[in-house]
Amino acid sequence: MDTDALTADLLRELRATRPYPALSLTMPTHRTAPDNAQDPVRLRNLVAEAVHRLEADPRVSRETAAAIRAELDRAADEVDPRRALDSLVVLAAADGHRIWQLPRTAPERVVLSDTYLTRNLVAAKARARPFWALTVAADHATLWNGTDQGIEVRETGGFPLTAPKEPPNPQREERIGDTPSTFTDEDTRNFFRTVDEKLRAVLAADPRPLYVMGLAPALSLLDDVGESTKAAVGRVAKGAPADLPPAEVLRELRPALAEGARQATADVEKRLDNARSAHTFAGGLDEVWAAVREGRVGLVAVEEHFQRTVRVTDGHLEPVPEGATQTEEPEVREDIVDELIEAALDGGADVVFVADDSLAGHGRIAAALRF
């Protein structure tokens, strides 16, 4: 499953308390040969470790352990090495399993709990910078799912939409003297109202920056009949045929995407500057971590490739020797930045990723506090 499929509803489902044990398995993987040859072996070893822990846990019945083992075996068989990215996440219970291959590394772990471990999924989704793009014409509307990896048609919420075909009406043409303009025709306006209604539902279920592309009259009509596109981050006034290929859509959107990214960076810098002036600024991993745990953070800015392994002691983060793992020491957190990101998002904060070294003076991570 792709990270862009991680809607707010799905994440809530994955975080929900489940009958013990909900098993989470994570491991780093490799995209290319020869390193990727070791991944299937490491996965089988990790599955064997998970099975051993299930069978040794007095809280897990023999039947439940056998059912989860069967799900893990199915998951291992289903992993497609051709789609390998930087990590693998497998979530398994007695009634099923889910697999994610993520464009972000994750430590090798097996966790048994009453909820699934989702921090790696949440962080990977946030780092992918997902966005929606709507291409629209008088008779069709297509919704595109975009991330930093590319763009593809998304069939969701009723999209793609096609306007009903109306037969020619000669009597109407005689009454008005000519064929009505496409974008003033009431049928087209009704179709665009439907597009707006469907798009509002999608944005409510999975809020993301929105980009729209279509002829200028089409974009104007969308704004006129509805609300969903008025806050679009970027607009491209260009025809959008129904069969427009993804590469062409992305090529046309690139200037708007670049401007959106530039504006987002400027907004982050302004919010951090205002926080410094108001003395509501936190810098460095330990300070930001404490503020997130207290629910005081409104914005977290973190460098793109920032990661740290730490030990949590009395609510503070301490450096650990190289090679320390959570498997050997429960207090060690190999993915503390991802954990912080998930906690910040859960607390309603904005999380943005900035260029490496742009926060070097603040320990690679900074926050604007609510109070």
Side-chain angles (χ1 to χ4, degrees), residues 258-274 276 299 352-354:
E259 175 57 24
R262 187 200 66 76
Q263 186 59 53
T265 299
D267 290 345
V268 169
E269 292 174 351
K270 182 177 180 179
R271 290 178 68 177
L272 291 177
D273 285 343
N274 290 342
R276 278 189 283 266
L299 166 73
V352 295
F353 295 89
V354 297

Side-chain angles (χ1 to χ4, degrees), residues 309-333:
T309 299
V310 300
R311 181 181 290 106
V312 180
T313 305
D314 296 328
H316 293 281
L317 309 181
E318 299 177 352
V320 298
E322 186 175 349
T325 67
Q326 193 163 2
T327 301
E328 298 167 348
E329 298 183 63
E331 300 84 6
V332 169
R333 307 289 179 83

Side-chain angles (χ1 to χ4, degrees), residues 39 53 57 65 72 84 141 200 203 208 236 294 308 329:
D39 293 345
R53 290 180 55 181
D57 192 328
L72 288 173
R200 277 189 283 116
L203 293 173
R208 307 183 186 182
V236 178
E294 294 166 0
R308 280 290 183 274
E329 298 183 63

Side-chain angles (χ1 to χ4, degrees), residues 124-326:
K125 179 178 175 65
R127 288 177 186 270
R129 297 185 177 89
F131 64 89
W132 294 118
L134 179 76
T135 53
V136 63
D139 59 352
H140 66 267
T142 302
L143 187 67
W144 300 80
N145 167 65
T147 69
D148 60 350
Q149 302 290 309
I151 195 169
E152 62 182 5
V153 172
R154 171 56 61 83
E155 295 182 3
T156 189
F159 289 98
L161 287 167
T162 303
K165 295 290 186 182
E166 294 290 335
N169 190 335
Q171 292 180 340
R172 178 184 180 185
E173 292 179 19
E174 288 178 6
R175 288 197 306 270
I176 64 175
D178 196 0
T179 302
S181 170
T182 301
F183 294 104
T184 60
D185 180 75
E186 190 60 27
D187 291 333
T188 303
R189 294 179 67 86
N190 286 335
F191 173 61
F192 273 40
R193 290 188 183 101
T194 300
V195 172
D196 176 73
E197 177 187 349
K198 301 292 186 183
L199 184 58
R200 277 189 283 116
V202 170
L203 293 173
D206 190 0
R208 307 183 186 182
L210 172 68
Y211 296 82
V212 292
M213 185 169 82
L215 293 174
L219 302 185
S220 177
L221 180 57
L222 264 178
D223 288 343
D224 185 44
V225 302
E227 298 292 330
S228 60
T229 59
K230 289 181 179 178
V233 174
R235 296 167 180 261
V236 178
K238 186 176 179 66
D243 58 352
L244 198 62
E248 181 67 13
V249 174
L250 190 57
R251 185 178 73 82
E252 296 295 341
L253 286 176
R254 283 200 188 282
L257 292 171
E259 175 57 24
R262 187 200 66 76
Q263 186 59 53
T265 299
D267 290 345
V268 169
E269 292 174 351
K270 182 177 180 179
R271 290 178 68 177
L272 291 177
D273 285 343
N274 290 342
R276 278 189 283 266
S277 299
H279 305 290
T280 55
F281 176 86
L285 187 56
D286 192 46
E287 195 172 322
V288 175
W289 166 260
V292 167
R293 294 180 71 232
E294 294 166 0
R296 300 169 55 211
V297 171
L299 166 73
V300 174
V302 57
E303 290 186 4
E304 184 70 39
H305 296 100
F306 178 54
Q307 292 180 277
R308 280 290 183 274
T309 299
V310 300
R311 181 181 290 106
V312 180
T313 305
D314 296 328
H316 293 281
L317 309 181
E318 299 177 352
V320 298
E322 186 175 349
T325 67
Q326 193 163 2

Side-chain angles (χ1 to χ4, degrees), residues 109-142:
R109 296 184 63 191
V110 173
V111 177
L112 301 179
S113 184
D114 58 359
T115 62
Y116 287 127
L117 180 70
T118 60
R119 66 182 62 133
N120 305 108
L121 302 179
V122 172
K125 179 178 175 65
R127 288 177 186 270
R129 297 185 177 89
F131 64 89
W132 294 118
L134 179 76
T135 53
V136 63
D139 59 352
H140 66 267
T142 302

Side-chain angles (χ1 to χ4, degrees), residues 49-65:
E49 177 189 333
V51 170
H52 174 73
R53 290 180 55 181
L54 285 167
E55 294 176 344
D57 192 328
R59 294 173 291 175
V60 181
S61 69
R62 183 179 303 176
E63 293 77 12
T64 298

